[in-house]
Amino acid sequence: MTLTLPKHDSDGIMLSHYLVAHAHPELAREIYTYAGHADIAPLYIDTPLADFIEQSPYVVNLFQGDPLFEVFQSNAQQLFANLESVAQNQAPLSGIIVSVRATVSFDMVLAYLRHRVLIQFSGKRKGVFHFQNPNVARYFFGEAQLKDTQEWMGPLLYLHWYEQWYSGGEEVQGQWRQVENPEPSYDLCHDSDSAEPQALFPLWQLRESQQQALELQFDDKNIVRFFKESRQSMPSVGERNLYRTYIKQAEQLGFYQVQELDAYFHLRQQYPQINQARLSDPSLNALSAHEKLQCLETMLRKDALYVCE
C-alpha cells in the first residue's frame, strides 16, 4: 500500500505536509541526507526539553514522491517480526505525518507541536509525550474517541501513520491510517518570544478515552508476550480483541500479576464459553487470586459438563 497525501482541504485550499520523525541515533543524518533544502528543525528546541536535543524528534517539510517521503514510506511498511518492540527494530526514519493548510507557516507548526511535547495526567503529574512514535500514535490517535483526537490536533487537518498487526500465524498485516480534523483551531499556533512557550498555555490534560487507548497498548503487549511465551501462533486482530476482553475480566476478578493473567488466559483457552455471572459470583470475593482461579476452573468445568449432557 502507498500513502497518497491530500493536496487540498474541503475548501480547495492547498495543504502542506510535515514529517514528525521519532528520535533515533541516526535520525539527523538520515533527515539531512534525504530532505534536501526542506525546512528542518529539532522539535525540542525552545521547550523545557531543550537540554535533550540529541534525543529530539525532528520536524521536516515533506512532499509527495520526494526522496525523504519515499524512504519514510518504505521504512514504515517494513514488516517487523516483533511488533511490540520500539527500539530494537525501529528504522532511522519513522514517525507520523501531519497536514496543515499551506497558509500555516513552518514556524507556526513548530510552535504548536512544541506545546504538545509535554502532557498532564492523573491529576498534576507531567510527562514527555512521544506522540510521533507510530507505536504510540496507533493507540493515542487510533483508539481514542475521535472528538478528543480532533481537539488535540488544533491546527492540524490530517494525521497519517502506518499501523501493523498480525493477520494470523506469524503473518503481519499493515495499513495507512488517517484522521481528519474538519474544524482546525489556531489558538496555540503562533510564534512566541518566550523561552518556554508551554508556560503560556495549559498542558494538554489526557482525556479519559486517550488514557484508556494508551492502556490498550500495555494490554496488547501482554497479549503478544503471552502468545510468544506459550509458543502459540501470534493472535489475529479478532483474537487480540477477544483477549482484550479477557484482560478486562481478569481485572474485574483482581488478577493483576503476570502469572495470574497468564493463568486466566490458559483457563479461558480451555473454557472459551462462560456464564458472565460466574465472574461476579459473591463466593469469589473472599478468596486469594490462586483460590479464585481454582474455584473458577471448578465452576467452568461443571458448566461445560452440564452443556454436554
Side-chain angles (χ1 to χ4, degrees), residues 176-208:
W176 286 101
R177 293 284 305 277
Q178 174 182 286
V179 174
E180 181 180 2
N181 177 25
E183 298 182 1
S185 168
Y186 299 93
D187 291 345
L188 302 185
C189 195
H190 64 83
D191 300 321
S192 171
D193 295 330
S194 170
E196 294 188 1
Q198 281 79 4
L200 300 177
F201 296 92
L203 294 180
W204 178 260
Q205 177 70 48
L206 207 60
R207 305 300 191 256
E208 182 179 357

PDB file of all heavy atoms in Angstrom, residues 176-208:
ATOM      1  N   TRP A 176      -2.124   2.115   6.098  1.00  0.00           N
ATOM      2  CA  TRP A 176      -2.000   3.520   6.437  1.00  0.00           C
ATOM      3  C   TRP A 176      -3.298   3.987   7.082  1.00  0.00           C
ATOM      4  O   TRP A 176      -4.386   3.680   6.599  1.00  0.00           O
ATOM      5  CB  TRP A 176      -1.705   4.359   5.189  1.00  0.00           C
ATOM      6  CG  TRP A 176      -0.296   4.196   4.710  1.00  0.00           C
ATOM      7  CD1 TRP A 176       0.139   3.440   3.676  1.00  0.00           C
ATOM      8  CD2 TRP A 176       0.862   4.818   5.278  1.00  0.00           C
ATOM      9  NE1 TRP A 176       1.499   3.536   3.552  1.00  0.00           N
ATOM     10  CE2 TRP A 176       1.968   4.373   4.522  1.00  0.00           C
ATOM     11  CE3 TRP A 176       1.080   5.700   6.341  1.00  0.00           C
ATOM     12  CZ2 TRP A 176       3.276   4.787   4.803  1.00  0.00           C
ATOM     13  CZ3 TRP A 176       2.369   6.108   6.629  1.00  0.00           C
ATOM     14  CH2 TRP A 176       3.446   5.650   5.862  1.00  0.00           C
ATOM     15  N   ARG A 177      -3.178   4.707   8.187  1.00  0.00           N
ATOM     16  CA  ARG A 177      -4.332   5.251   8.874  1.00  0.00           C
ATOM     17  C   ARG A 177      -4.326   6.770   8.755  1.00  0.00           C
ATOM     18  O   ARG A 177      -3.266   7.400   8.712  1.00  0.00           O
ATOM     19  CB  ARG A 177      -4.304   4.862  10.350  1.00  0.00           C
ATOM     20  CG  ARG A 177      -4.485   3.375  10.623  1.00  0.00           C
ATOM     21  CD  ARG A 177      -5.925   2.931  10.478  1.00  0.00           C
ATOM     22  NE  ARG A 177      -6.816   3.717  11.309  1.00  0.00           N
ATOM     23  CZ  ARG A 177      -7.038   3.477  12.614  1.00  0.00           C
ATOM     24  NH1 ARG A 177      -6.426   2.456  13.217  1.00  0.00           N
ATOM     25  NH2 ARG A 177      -7.878   4.223  13.302  1.00  0.00           N
ATOM     26  N   GLN A 178      -5.510   7.344   8.735  1.00  0.00           N
ATOM     27  CA  GLN A 178      -5.635   8.797   8.622  1.00  0.00           C
ATOM     28  C   GLN A 178      -6.765   9.288   9.517  1.00  0.00           C
ATOM     29  O   GLN A 178      -7.810   8.653   9.618  1.00  0.00           O
ATOM     30  CB  GLN A 178      -5.927   9.189   7.174  1.00  0.00           C
ATOM     31  CG  GLN A 178      -6.224  10.675   6.966  1.00  0.00           C
ATOM     32  CD  GLN A 178      -6.554  10.986   5.520  1.00  0.00           C
ATOM     33  OE1 GLN A 178      -5.675  10.997   4.667  1.00  0.00           O
ATOM     34  NE2 GLN A 178      -7.829  11.215   5.223  1.00  0.00           N
ATOM     35  N   VAL A 179      -6.528  10.397  10.204  1.00  0.00           N
ATOM     36  CA  VAL A 179      -7.573  11.070  10.976  1.00  0.00           C
ATOM     37  C   VAL A 179      -7.718  12.478  10.429  1.00  0.00           C
ATOM     38  O   VAL A 179      -6.717  13.179  10.223  1.00  0.00           O
ATOM     39  CB  VAL A 179      -7.234  11.125  12.479  1.00  0.00           C
ATOM     40  CG1 VAL A 179      -8.279  11.958  13.219  1.00  0.00           C
ATOM     41  CG2 VAL A 179      -7.167   9.726  13.067  1.00  0.00           C
ATOM     42  N   GLU A 180      -8.959  12.892  10.202  1.00  0.00           N
ATOM     43  CA  GLU A 180      -9.231  14.232   9.686  1.00  0.00           C
ATOM     44  C   GLU A 180      -9.818  15.110  10.786  1.00  0.00           C
ATOM     45  O   GLU A 180     -10.616  14.653  11.608  1.00  0.00           O
ATOM     46  CB  GLU A 180     -10.203  14.160   8.510  1.00  0.00           C
ATOM     47  CG  GLU A 180     -10.525  15.516   7.905  1.00  0.00           C
ATOM     48  CD  GLU A 180     -11.495  15.438   6.742  1.00  0.00           C
ATOM     49  OE1 GLU A 180     -11.952  14.311   6.434  1.00  0.00           O
ATOM     50  OE2 GLU A 180     -11.790  16.482   6.140  1.00  0.00           O
ATOM     51  N   ASN A 181      -9.414  16.375  10.791  1.00  0.00           N
ATOM     52  CA  ASN A 181      -9.923  17.360  11.735  1.00  0.00           C
ATOM     53  C   ASN A 181     -10.595  18.481  10.927  1.00  0.00           C
ATOM     54  O   ASN A 181      -9.919  19.415  10.475  1.00  0.00           O
ATOM     55  CB  ASN A 181      -8.781  17.922  12.579  1.00  0.00           C
ATOM     56  CG  ASN A 181      -9.236  19.006  13.535  1.00  0.00           C
ATOM     57  OD1 ASN A 181     -10.402  19.058  13.923  1.00  0.00           O
ATOM     58  ND2 ASN A 181      -8.315  19.871  13.923  1.00  0.00           N
ATOM     59  N   PRO A 182     -11.909  18.410  10.717  1.00  0.00           N
ATOM     60  CA  PRO A 182     -12.565  19.358   9.809  1.00  0.00           C
ATOM     61  C   PRO A 182     -12.672  20.780  10.342  1.00  0.00           C
ATOM     62  O   PRO A 182     -12.948  21.707   9.582  1.00  0.00           O
ATOM     63  CB  PRO A 182     -13.957  18.736   9.613  1.00  0.00           C
ATOM     64  CG  PRO A 182     -14.192  17.941  10.851  1.00  0.00           C
ATOM     65  CD  PRO A 182     -12.850  17.417  11.256  1.00  0.00           C
ATOM     66  N   GLU A 183     -12.470  20.970  11.648  1.00  0.00           N
ATOM     67  CA  GLU A 183     -12.579  22.307  12.244  1.00  0.00           C
ATOM     68  C   GLU A 183     -11.294  22.638  13.003  1.00  0.00           C
ATOM     69  O   GLU A 183     -11.247  22.578  14.228  1.00  0.00           O
ATOM     70  CB  GLU A 183     -13.795  22.388  13.160  1.00  0.00           C
ATOM     71  CG  GLU A 183     -15.111  22.156  12.438  1.00  0.00           C
ATOM     72  CD  GLU A 183     -16.315  22.285  13.352  1.00  0.00           C
ATOM     73  OE1 GLU A 183     -16.101  22.576  14.548  1.00  0.00           O
ATOM     74  OE2 GLU A 183     -17.446  22.103  12.880  1.00  0.00           O
ATOM     75  N   PRO A 184     -10.217  22.989  12.290  1.00  0.00           N
ATOM     76  CA  PRO A 184      -8.939  23.278  12.951  1.00  0.00           C
ATOM     77  C   PRO A 184      -9.020  24.514  13.831  1.00  0.00           C
ATOM     78  O   PRO A 184      -9.778  25.446  13.573  1.00  0.00           O
ATOM     79  CB  PRO A 184      -7.981  23.494  11.773  1.00  0.00           C
ATOM     80  CG  PRO A 184      -8.861  23.898  10.639  1.00  0.00           C
ATOM     81  CD  PRO A 184     -10.142  23.156  10.827  1.00  0.00           C
ATOM     82  N   SER A 185      -8.213  24.497  14.899  1.00  0.00           N
ATOM     83  CA  SER A 185      -8.120  25.627  15.831  1.00  0.00           C
ATOM     84  C   SER A 185      -6.688  26.147  15.822  1.00  0.00           C
ATOM     85  O   SER A 185      -5.742  25.365  15.783  1.00  0.00           O
ATOM     86  CB  SER A 185      -8.507  25.173  17.244  1.00  0.00           C
ATOM     87  OG  SER A 185      -8.177  26.155  18.201  1.00  0.00           O
ATOM     88  N   TYR A 186      -6.534  27.466  15.890  1.00  0.00           N
ATOM     89  CA  TYR A 186      -5.206  28.070  15.781  1.00  0.00           C
ATOM     90  C   TYR A 186      -4.800  28.810  17.053  1.00  0.00           C
ATOM     91  O   TYR A 186      -3.904  29.640  17.041  1.00  0.00           O
ATOM     92  CB  TYR A 186      -5.166  29.008  14.568  1.00  0.00           C
ATOM     93  CG  TYR A 186      -5.438  28.287  13.274  1.00  0.00           C
ATOM     94  CD1 TYR A 186      -6.730  28.216  12.754  1.00  0.00           C
ATOM     95  CD2 TYR A 186      -4.425  27.626  12.592  1.00  0.00           C
ATOM     96  CE1 TYR A 186      -6.988  27.522  11.583  1.00  0.00           C
ATOM     97  CE2 TYR A 186      -4.674  26.936  11.421  1.00  0.00           C
ATOM     98  CZ  TYR A 186      -5.960  26.887  10.924  1.00  0.00           C
ATOM     99  OH  TYR A 186      -6.221  26.191   9.762  1.00  0.00           O
ATOM    100  N   ASP A 187      -5.427  28.483  18.181  1.00  0.00           N
ATOM    101  CA  ASP A 187      -5.147  29.191  19.428  1.00  0.00           C
ATOM    102  C   ASP A 187      -3.686  29.084  19.860  1.00  0.00           C
ATOM    103  O   ASP A 187      -3.104  30.039  20.363  1.00  0.00           O
ATOM    104  CB  ASP A 187      -6.041  28.658  20.549  1.00  0.00           C
ATOM    105  CG  ASP A 187      -7.501  29.023  20.358  1.00  0.00           C
ATOM    106  OD1 ASP A 187      -7.763  29.921  19.534  1.00  0.00           O
ATOM    107  OD2 ASP A 187      -8.373  28.423  21.022  1.00  0.00           O
ATOM    108  N   LEU A 188      -3.094  27.902  19.686  1.00  0.00           N
ATOM    109  CA  LEU A 188      -1.702  27.694  20.114  1.00  0.00           C
ATOM    110  C   LEU A 188      -0.718  27.873  18.975  1.00  0.00           C
ATOM    111  O   LEU A 188       0.481  27.676  19.150  1.00  0.00           O
ATOM    112  CB  LEU A 188      -1.530  26.277  20.681  1.00  0.00           C
ATOM    113  CG  LEU A 188      -2.417  25.888  21.857  1.00  0.00           C
ATOM    114  CD1 LEU A 188      -2.018  24.510  22.365  1.00  0.00           C
ATOM    115  CD2 LEU A 188      -2.322  26.901  22.980  1.00  0.00           C
ATOM    116  N   CYS A 189      -1.215  28.231  17.824  1.00  0.00           N
ATOM    117  CA  CYS A 189      -0.403  28.217  16.613  1.00  0.00           C
ATOM    118  C   CYS A 189       0.118  29.621  16.298  1.00  0.00           C
ATOM    119  O   CYS A 189      -0.389  30.317  15.431  1.00  0.00           O
ATOM    120  CB  CYS A 189      -1.252  27.696  15.461  1.00  0.00           C
ATOM    121  SG  CYS A 189      -0.300  27.215  14.023  1.00  0.00           S
ATOM    122  N   HIS A 190       1.131  30.039  17.029  1.00  0.00           N
ATOM    123  CA  HIS A 190       1.724  31.347  16.776  1.00  0.00           C
ATOM    124  C   HIS A 190       3.145  31.340  17.298  1.00  0.00           C
ATOM    125  O   HIS A 190       3.546  30.498  18.084  1.00  0.00           O
ATOM    126  CB  HIS A 190       0.920  32.463  17.452  1.00  0.00           C
ATOM    127  CG  HIS A 190       0.916  32.376  18.951  1.00  0.00           C
ATOM    128  ND1 HIS A 190       1.927  32.860  19.730  1.00  0.00           N
ATOM    129  CD2 HIS A 190       0.007  31.822  19.794  1.00  0.00           C
ATOM    130  CE1 HIS A 190       1.640  32.634  21.003  1.00  0.00           C
ATOM    131  NE2 HIS A 190       0.504  32.000  21.065  1.00  0.00           N
ATOM    132  N   ASP A 191       3.930  32.294  16.856  1.00  0.00           N
ATOM    133  CA  ASP A 191       5.302  32.410  17.317  1.00  0.00           C
ATOM    134  C   ASP A 191       5.319  33.074  18.685  1.00  0.00           C
ATOM    135  O   ASP A 191       4.426  33.832  19.041  1.00  0.00           O
ATOM    136  CB  ASP A 191       6.125  33.239  16.332  1.00  0.00           C
ATOM    137  CG  ASP A 191       6.140  32.606  14.959  1.00  0.00           C
ATOM    138  OD1 ASP A 191       6.230  31.373  14.903  1.00  0.00           O
ATOM    139  OD2 ASP A 191       6.041  33.347  13.963  1.00  0.00           O
ATOM    140  N   SER A 192       6.349  32.805  19.449  1.00  0.00           N
ATOM    141  CA  SER A 192       6.445  33.374  20.792  1.00  0.00           C
ATOM    142  C   SER A 192       7.889  33.721  21.092  1.00  0.00           C
ATOM    143  O   SER A 192       8.816  33.057  20.670  1.00  0.00           O
ATOM    144  CB  SER A 192       5.934  32.361  21.822  1.00  0.00           C
ATOM    145  OG  SER A 192       6.198  32.807  23.126  1.00  0.00           O
ATOM    146  N   ASP A 193       8.082  34.792  21.844  1.00  0.00           N
ATOM    147  CA  ASP A 193       9.428  35.176  22.264  1.00  0.00           C
ATOM    148  C   ASP A 193       9.830  34.461  23.536  1.00  0.00           C
ATOM    149  O   ASP A 193      10.960  34.578  23.996  1.00  0.00           O
ATOM    150  CB  ASP A 193       9.486  36.698  22.494  1.00  0.00           C
ATOM    151  CG  ASP A 193       9.260  37.481  21.210  1.00  0.00           C
ATOM    152  OD1 ASP A 193       9.631  36.944  20.140  1.00  0.00           O
ATOM    153  OD2 ASP A 193       8.721  38.592  21.276  1.00  0.00           O
ATOM    154  N   SER A 194       8.900  33.746  24.131  1.00  0.00           N
ATOM    155  CA  SER A 194       9.189  33.058  25.390  1.00  0.00           C
ATOM    156  C   SER A 194      10.121  31.887  25.155  1.00  0.00           C
ATOM    157  O   SER A 194      10.028  31.165  24.176  1.00  0.00           O
ATOM    158  CB  SER A 194       7.889  32.557  26.023  1.00  0.00           C
ATOM    159  OG  SER A 194       8.162  31.703  27.113  1.00  0.00           O
ATOM    160  N   ALA A 195      11.052  31.681  26.097  1.00  0.00           N
ATOM    161  CA  ALA A 195      11.967  30.541  26.009  1.00  0.00           C
ATOM    162  C   ALA A 195      11.216  29.239  26.294  1.00  0.00           C
ATOM    163  O   ALA A 195      11.662  28.171  25.934  1.00  0.00           O
ATOM    164  CB  ALA A 195      13.115  30.694  26.999  1.00  0.00           C
ATOM    165  N   GLU A 196      10.079  29.353  26.990  1.00  0.00           N
ATOM    166  CA  GLU A 196       9.283  28.179  27.300  1.00  0.00           C
ATOM    167  C   GLU A 196       7.836  28.455  26.891  1.00  0.00           C
ATOM    168  O   GLU A 196       7.004  28.851  27.704  1.00  0.00           O
ATOM    169  CB  GLU A 196       9.370  27.832  28.792  1.00  0.00           C
ATOM    170  CG  GLU A 196      10.758  27.395  29.231  1.00  0.00           C
ATOM    171  CD  GLU A 196      10.768  26.865  30.656  1.00  0.00           C
ATOM    172  OE1 GLU A 196       9.691  26.833  31.274  1.00  0.00           O
ATOM    173  OE2 GLU A 196      11.837  26.484  31.131  1.00  0.00           O
ATOM    174  N   PRO A 197       7.519  28.259  25.619  1.00  0.00           N
ATOM    175  CA  PRO A 197       6.170  28.582  25.149  1.00  0.00           C
ATOM    176  C   PRO A 197       5.080  27.815  25.873  1.00  0.00           C
ATOM    177  O   PRO A 197       3.948  28.265  25.948  1.00  0.00           O
ATOM    178  CB  PRO A 197       6.216  28.216  23.665  1.00  0.00           C
ATOM    179  CG  PRO A 197       7.378  27.299  23.513  1.00  0.00           C
ATOM    180  CD  PRO A 197       8.371  27.716  24.549  1.00  0.00           C
ATOM    181  N   GLN A 198       5.402  26.629  26.460  1.00  0.00           N
ATOM    182  CA  GLN A 198       4.393  25.879  27.176  1.00  0.00           C
ATOM    183  C   GLN A 198       3.859  26.644  28.371  1.00  0.00           C
ATOM    184  O   GLN A 198       2.753  26.385  28.851  1.00  0.00           O
ATOM    185  CB  GLN A 198       4.959  24.523  27.658  1.00  0.00           C
ATOM    186  CG  GLN A 198       5.028  23.469  26.582  1.00  0.00           C
ATOM    187  CD  GLN A 198       6.217  23.668  25.672  1.00  0.00           C
ATOM    188  OE1 GLN A 198       7.036  24.555  25.890  1.00  0.00           O
ATOM    189  NE2 GLN A 198       6.307  22.858  24.632  1.00  0.00           N
ATOM    190  N   ALA A 199       4.654  27.608  28.878  1.00  0.00           N
ATOM    191  CA  ALA A 199       4.221  28.363  30.046  1.00  0.00           C
ATOM    192  C   ALA A 199       3.034  29.272  29.725  1.00  0.00           C
ATOM    193  O   ALA A 199       2.311  29.709  30.621  1.00  0.00           O
ATOM    194  CB  ALA A 199       5.383  29.193  30.588  1.00  0.00           C
ATOM    195  N   LEU A 200       2.815  29.576  28.431  1.00  0.00           N
ATOM    196  CA  LEU A 200       1.750  30.492  28.042  1.00  0.00           C
ATOM    197  C   LEU A 200       0.389  29.809  28.012  1.00  0.00           C
ATOM    198  O   LEU A 200      -0.632  30.473  28.079  1.00  0.00           O
ATOM    199  CB  LEU A 200       2.047  31.073  26.653  1.00  0.00           C
ATOM    200  CG  LEU A 200       3.348  31.873  26.525  1.00  0.00           C
ATOM    201  CD1 LEU A 200       3.532  32.312  25.093  1.00  0.00           C
ATOM    202  CD2 LEU A 200       3.329  33.073  27.459  1.00  0.00           C
ATOM    203  N   PHE A 201       0.374  28.485  27.896  1.00  0.00           N
ATOM    204  CA  PHE A 201      -0.869  27.753  27.756  1.00  0.00           C
ATOM    205  C   PHE A 201      -0.837  26.528  28.669  1.00  0.00           C
ATOM    206  O   PHE A 201       0.222  25.993  28.969  1.00  0.00           O
ATOM    207  CB  PHE A 201      -1.075  27.302  26.309  1.00  0.00           C
ATOM    208  CG  PHE A 201      -1.223  28.433  25.331  1.00  0.00           C
ATOM    209  CD1 PHE A 201      -0.119  28.950  24.676  1.00  0.00           C
ATOM    210  CD2 PHE A 201      -2.466  28.986  25.087  1.00  0.00           C
ATOM    211  CE1 PHE A 201      -0.259  29.992  23.781  1.00  0.00           C
ATOM    212  CE2 PHE A 201      -2.618  30.025  24.196  1.00  0.00           C
ATOM    213  CZ  PHE A 201      -1.506  30.538  23.539  1.00  0.00           C
ATOM    214  N   PRO A 202      -1.995  26.089  29.123  1.00  0.00           N
ATOM    215  CA  PRO A 202      -2.021  24.884  29.963  1.00  0.00           C
ATOM    216  C   PRO A 202      -1.567  23.666  29.182  1.00  0.00           C
ATOM    217  O   PRO A 202      -1.783  23.566  27.972  1.00  0.00           O
ATOM    218  CB  PRO A 202      -3.498  24.778  30.364  1.00  0.00           C
ATOM    219  CG  PRO A 202      -4.248  25.523  29.302  1.00  0.00           C
ATOM    220  CD  PRO A 202      -3.332  26.647  28.884  1.00  0.00           C
ATOM    221  N   LEU A 203      -0.931  22.728  29.886  1.00  0.00           N
ATOM    222  CA  LEU A 203      -0.540  21.478  29.254  1.00  0.00           C
ATOM    223  C   LEU A 203      -1.783  20.701  28.839  1.00  0.00           C
ATOM    224  O   LEU A 203      -2.864  20.865  29.410  1.00  0.00           O
ATOM    225  CB  LEU A 203       0.290  20.630  30.222  1.00  0.00           C
ATOM    226  CG  LEU A 203       1.662  21.157  30.631  1.00  0.00           C
ATOM    227  CD1 LEU A 203       2.318  20.181  31.593  1.00  0.00           C
ATOM    228  CD2 LEU A 203       2.535  21.375  29.417  1.00  0.00           C
ATOM    229  N   TRP A 204      -1.596  19.849  27.843  1.00  0.00           N
ATOM    230  CA  TRP A 204      -2.697  19.001  27.431  1.00  0.00           C
ATOM    231  C   TRP A 204      -2.994  18.008  28.540  1.00  0.00           C
ATOM    232  O   TRP A 204      -2.125  17.246  28.974  1.00  0.00           O
ATOM    233  CB  TRP A 204      -2.356  18.240  26.155  1.00  0.00           C
ATOM    234  CG  TRP A 204      -3.463  17.327  25.732  1.00  0.00           C
ATOM    235  CD1 TRP A 204      -3.544  15.978  25.945  1.00  0.00           C
ATOM    236  CD2 TRP A 204      -4.677  17.701  25.065  1.00  0.00           C
ATOM    237  NE1 TRP A 204      -4.714  15.488  25.439  1.00  0.00           N
ATOM    238  CE2 TRP A 204      -5.446  16.521  24.894  1.00  0.00           C
ATOM    239  CE3 TRP A 204      -5.181  18.918  24.597  1.00  0.00           C
ATOM    240  CZ2 TRP A 204      -6.676  16.528  24.274  1.00  0.00           C
ATOM    241  CZ3 TRP A 204      -6.421  18.914  23.969  1.00  0.00           C
ATOM    242  CH2 TRP A 204      -7.156  17.731  23.816  1.00  0.00           C
ATOM    243  N   GLN A 205      -4.238  18.039  29.035  1.00  0.00           N
ATOM    244  CA  GLN A 205      -4.682  17.089  30.053  1.00  0.00           C
ATOM    245  C   GLN A 205      -5.225  15.851  29.356  1.00  0.00           C
ATOM    246  O   GLN A 205      -6.157  15.934  28.560  1.00  0.00           O
ATOM    247  CB  GLN A 205      -5.776  17.719  30.924  1.00  0.00           C
ATOM    248  CG  GLN A 205      -6.354  16.790  31.976  1.00  0.00           C
ATOM    249  CD  GLN A 205      -5.381  16.474  33.092  1.00  0.00           C
ATOM    250  OE1 GLN A 205      -4.748  17.381  33.644  1.00  0.00           O
ATOM    251  NE2 GLN A 205      -5.228  15.199  33.424  1.00  0.00           N
ATOM    252  N   LEU A 206      -4.615  14.725  29.643  1.00  0.00           N
ATOM    253  CA  LEU A 206      -5.009  13.480  28.994  1.00  0.00           C
ATOM    254  C   LEU A 206      -6.487  13.206  29.240  1.00  0.00           C
ATOM    255  O   LEU A 206      -6.954  13.185  30.377  1.00  0.00           O
ATOM    256  CB  LEU A 206      -4.163  12.329  29.547  1.00  0.00           C
ATOM    257  CG  LEU A 206      -3.931  11.121  28.649  1.00  0.00           C
ATOM    258  CD1 LEU A 206      -3.219  11.526  27.369  1.00  0.00           C
ATOM    259  CD2 LEU A 206      -3.107  10.077  29.395  1.00  0.00           C
ATOM    260  N   ARG A 207      -7.247  13.023  28.153  1.00  0.00           N
ATOM    261  CA  ARG A 207      -8.665  12.730  28.259  1.00  0.00           C
ATOM    262  C   ARG A 207      -8.873  11.260  28.637  1.00  0.00           C
ATOM    263  O   ARG A 207      -8.008  10.421  28.430  1.00  0.00           O
ATOM    264  CB  ARG A 207      -9.371  13.030  26.934  1.00  0.00           C
ATOM    265  CG  ARG A 207      -9.163  14.447  26.414  1.00  0.00           C
ATOM    266  CD  ARG A 207      -9.681  15.503  27.378  1.00  0.00           C
ATOM    267  NE  ARG A 207      -9.712  16.821  26.756  1.00  0.00           N
ATOM    268  CZ  ARG A 207      -8.822  17.786  27.008  1.00  0.00           C
ATOM    269  NH1 ARG A 207      -7.833  17.569  27.861  1.00  0.00           N
ATOM    270  NH2 ARG A 207      -8.935  18.969  26.413  1.00  0.00           N
ATOM    271  N   GLU A 208     -10.050  10.970  29.160  1.00  0.00           N
ATOM    272  CA  GLU A 208     -10.318   9.603  29.623  1.00  0.00           C
ATOM    273  C   GLU A 208     -10.169   8.588  28.497  1.00  0.00           C
ATOM    274  O   GLU A 208      -9.564   7.527  28.677  1.00  0.00           O
ATOM    275  CB  GLU A 208     -11.728   9.526  30.215  1.00  0.00           C
ATOM    276  CG  GLU A 208     -12.069   8.146  30.757  1.00  0.00           C
ATOM    277  CD  GLU A 208     -13.453   8.074  31.376  1.00  0.00           C
ATOM    278  OE1 GLU A 208     -14.134   9.123  31.441  1.00  0.00           O
ATOM    279  OE2 GLU A 208     -13.865   6.968  31.786  1.00  0.00           O
TER     280      GLU A 208
END
